[in-house]
Amino acid sequence: HTEDELFRSSHSNPGKSLVNGIKTNPASSSPKSSLPVPTGPPVYVDLAYIPNHCSGKNTDPEFFKRVRASYYVVSGNDAANGEPSRAVLDALLEGKSQWGENLQVTLIPTHDTEVTREWYQQTHEKQQELNIMVLASSSTVVMQDESFPACKIEF
């Protein structure tokens, strides 16, 4: 299909849409669908938020192979829902090990959780080998009678 044909077919049939140039049915689309992931070079960014509060539902080693960030933010703080997920933190190590270049990566957890503490302690040697630094935050923000941890990022 040409771009014009794809545009017309996606707009002439409102029950269908395009995902990465492939016609799909939105009702059946999901992040872990059986659609092939298009190949291509990785994307380099300064800062990436790990999707879905670092839940294993949407993030796997492929994310870290394809999205190469100087800083990754981990915002999960819900152990009952597996946030953050140990599997996702391990996926960062697996994905980064396949980059082929040892760029500095900083992981920024926005909450102090048991999962992140255990992962940090158990994989510290691997983190050093892969040039991954984990920031700890002792900063606190106070707003309208609430206080919560904060991280400051400077570029």
Side-chain angles (χ1 to χ4, degrees), residues 4-148:
D4 288 341
E5 288 172 321
L6 288 171
F7 178 82
R8 281 193 302 273
S9 66
S10 67
H11 286 83
S12 63
N13 186 349
K16 302 279 184 180
S17 65
L18 292 178
V19 175
N20 295 325
I22 300 169
K23 270 197 287 186
T24 62
N25 183 341
S28 66
S29 288
S30 70
K32 296 243 179 183
S33 70
S34 62
L35 288 176
V37 176
T39 58
V43 176
Y44 291 85
V45 296
D46 290 328
L47 178 71
Y49 175 88
I50 299 176
N52 203 27
H53 305 287
C54 196
S55 166
K57 296 173 190 170
N58 298 72
T59 309
D60 60 12
E62 189 65 27
F63 173 80
F64 296 105
K65 291 177 198 172
R66 303 284 305 268
V67 179
R68 299 181 181 186
S70 298
Y71 299 86
Y72 290 102
V73 177
V74 176
S75 69
N77 190 27
D78 186 357
N81 283 320
E83 299 168 2
S85 166
R86 169 67 189 250
V88 172
L89 296 172
D90 289 340
L92 167 63
L93 298 175
E94 183 182 334
K96 174 104 172 38
S97 70
Q98 296 181 32
W99 286 12
E101 51 195 328
N102 201 13
L103 300 173
Q104 169 73 46
V105 168
T106 303
L107 189 67
I108 306 168
T110 60
H111 296 87
D112 180 22
T113 67
E114 188 173 329
V115 169
T116 53
R117 272 183 272 130
E118 285 179 5
W119 176 82
Y120 177 80
Q121 292 169 351
Q122 294 170 1
T123 64
H124 189 68
E125 272 185 40
K126 186 72 171 175
Q127 294 166 41
Q128 289 180 320
E129 176 186 318
L130 293 172
N131 203 15
I132 297 173
M133 180 174 66
V134 180
L135 289 184
S137 175
S138 59
S139 301
T140 304
V141 173
V142 178
M143 297 179 83
Q144 300 176 351
D145 301 329
E146 284 189 67
S147 68
F148 46 91

